[in-house]
Amino acid sequence: MNEKSKLLTIGQFAALHGINKKTLMWYDEIGLFKPAVIDPQNGYRCYNYHQSPILETILLLRELDVSISEIQAFMKNRSAESLKYLLEEKIADLDRSMIHLLGIRKTLCNRHQNMVTLMTMDLSEISVIEKDERCLVTVDIDRSTSFEKEVELITAETAKYQLGRLHDASYGSMIPVTSLQNGSFDNYSKLFIEIPFLTHKDGLHIQPKGRYLRAFHKGRWEGLPQRYQAILGYARRQGLALSGFSYEKGINETVIDRIEDYIVQIEIPIL
């Protein structure tokens, strides 16, 4: 007799698949997965080895958060085609979840790096760094744009990318280098949103790869013009040509209570 044709008790079959036998009893009660044999004398449920692939499919679908009703519908019309479509749908769901989790990981890494920077930074230092290219979502603003309007613009733009929470992206502001050189230190023209793992570049602002001047400002925004004057003076003394935009973002919002302790990171491309 083929060993695989032998019957297994409910306990043995449950142990084989790493589940509780109560799960098998429940699946039987709701008509989802029935035993091969029920002993008419004692009511014991028994299963055979050839039922294993079917149970494993059910367990896989449950692990993918497929509802019991969906699995019941599939089991009633089980076929290669129906399983193919069901798995394609769940693969797409998994891909979206993985992208979301990778995005959260990138956000956590960025925040961790911000904390490392806070612990080691010299606020008076102006340095030259190397940066990789980044793709940024931007919205246009000007001096007349109210804070309420900025919030509305940011909310509308992030909704396009189906961000569930604000922590899924980082935010900042951009001011043209030409405005800084002309002394227009309040002429902000864009807000930027950095969304992890954007899948395309069409219509996005490309923050270029290359060398950047990096500096920091601590305190109220009213003090930023003085900091920019120091940055421009440093660039002139070093013979550095600045281009494009200055990219500003706060790096310590999560660990302060007073605006006087707010730190802005400033990065400006060098030609």
Side-chain angles (χ1 to χ4, degrees):
M1 179 179 177
N2 191 323
E3 290 294 318
K4 293 183 178 179
S5 297
K6 290 183 178 179
L7 293 177
L8 301 172
T9 67
I10 188 171
Q12 291 171 325
F13 198 67
L16 178 64
H17 293 278
I19 60 175
N20 192 298
K21 65 181 183 180
K22 289 183 178 180
T23 300
L24 288 173
M25 294 170 66
W26 180 52
Y27 285 172
D28 182 18
E29 290 169 4
I30 64 175
L32 179 60
F33 182 74
K34 291 191 168 294
V37 174
I38 298 180
D39 191 308
Q41 295 183 345
N42 53 31
Y44 288 171
R45 298 170 172 88
C46 294
Y47 300 80
N48 64 47
Y49 182 84
H50 298 290
Q51 291 180 282
S52 288
I54 298 174
L55 179 60
E56 281 299 322
T57 299
I58 293 172
L59 296 177
L60 171 63
L61 295 175
R62 289 297 292 148
E63 194 169 340
L64 294 173
D65 289 329
V66 181
S67 68
I68 289 294
S69 60
E70 285 182 283
I71 298 175
Q72 287 175 320
F74 162 71
M75 292 297 290
K76 289 177 182 177
N77 298 282
R78 197 164 76 251
S79 69
E81 184 178 20
S82 62
L83 182 58
K84 170 181 173 290
Y85 287 129
L86 183 56
L87 292 178
E88 284 175 348
E89 179 184 333
K90 296 309 168 184
I91 289 169
D93 289 343
L94 272 179
D95 287 342
R96 285 188 289 269
S97 296
M98 289 169 65
I99 289 171
H100 176 66
L101 288 173
L102 287 170
I104 290 178
R105 187 184 189 282
K106 184 175 181 181
T107 300
L108 292 176
C109 289
N110 288 341
R111 292 195 178 185
H112 177 265
Q113 183 57 52
N114 286 345
M115 296 306 104
V116 171
T117 300
L118 285 172
M119 295 170 65
T120 59
M121 71 195 311
D122 178 356
L123 284 172
S124 65
E125 183 182 15
I126 299 173
S127 59
V128 176
I129 63 166
E130 291 283 342
K131 287 183 67 69
D132 292 329
E133 177 184 282
R134 293 194 302 169
C135 298
L136 305 175
V137 178
T138 60
V139 295
D140 294 330
I141 59 170
D142 56 34
R143 290 188 178 95
S144 66
T145 308
S146 66
F147 176 73
E148 291 77 11
K149 183 62 176 178
E150 289 180 1
V151 171
E152 179 184 328
L153 291 169
I154 289 288
T155 302
E157 200 63 30
T158 53
K160 295 180 184 178
Y161 295 89
Q162 299 179 328
L163 290 177
R165 302 286 299 277
L166 288 177
H167 66 59
D168 289 344
S170 58
Y171 301 82
S173 54
M174 298 163 56
I175 183 169
V177 168
T178 52
S179 294
L180 298 176
Q181 293 168 335
N182 292 331
S184 300
F185 298 110
D186 62 345
N187 190 31
Y188 290 89
S189 61
K190 296 179 185 293
L191 301 176
F192 72 78
I193 313 158
E194 184 177 10
I195 300 174
F197 303 104
L198 286 170
T199 56
H200 63 87
K201 298 182 180 181
D202 294 341
L204 299 180
H205 173 86
I206 305 301
Q207 184 180 2
K209 175 182 179 179
R211 295 195 303 157
Y212 282 70
L213 270 191
R214 173 183 281 176
F216 300 93
H217 167 70
K218 181 179 181 180
R220 294 182 176 274
W221 288 281
E222 291 86 347
L224 271 169
Q226 184 177 354
R227 188 56 173 153
Y228 272 121
Q229 289 170 349
I231 293 170
L232 294 173
Y234 176 89
R236 283 194 298 271
R237 291 191 299 274
Q238 299 297 320
L240 302 175
L242 305 180
S243 67
F245 294 87
S246 173
Y247 300 86
E248 299 178 7
K249 70 174 182 178
I251 63 170
N252 67 336
E253 300 101 320
T254 58
V255 294
I256 62 168
D257 295 316
R258 306 184 314 144
I259 190 63
E260 289 80 8
D261 296 323
Y262 188 78
I263 297 176
V264 176
Q265 176 181 278
I266 300 166
E267 295 179 341
I268 309 174
I270 300 171
L271 279 176

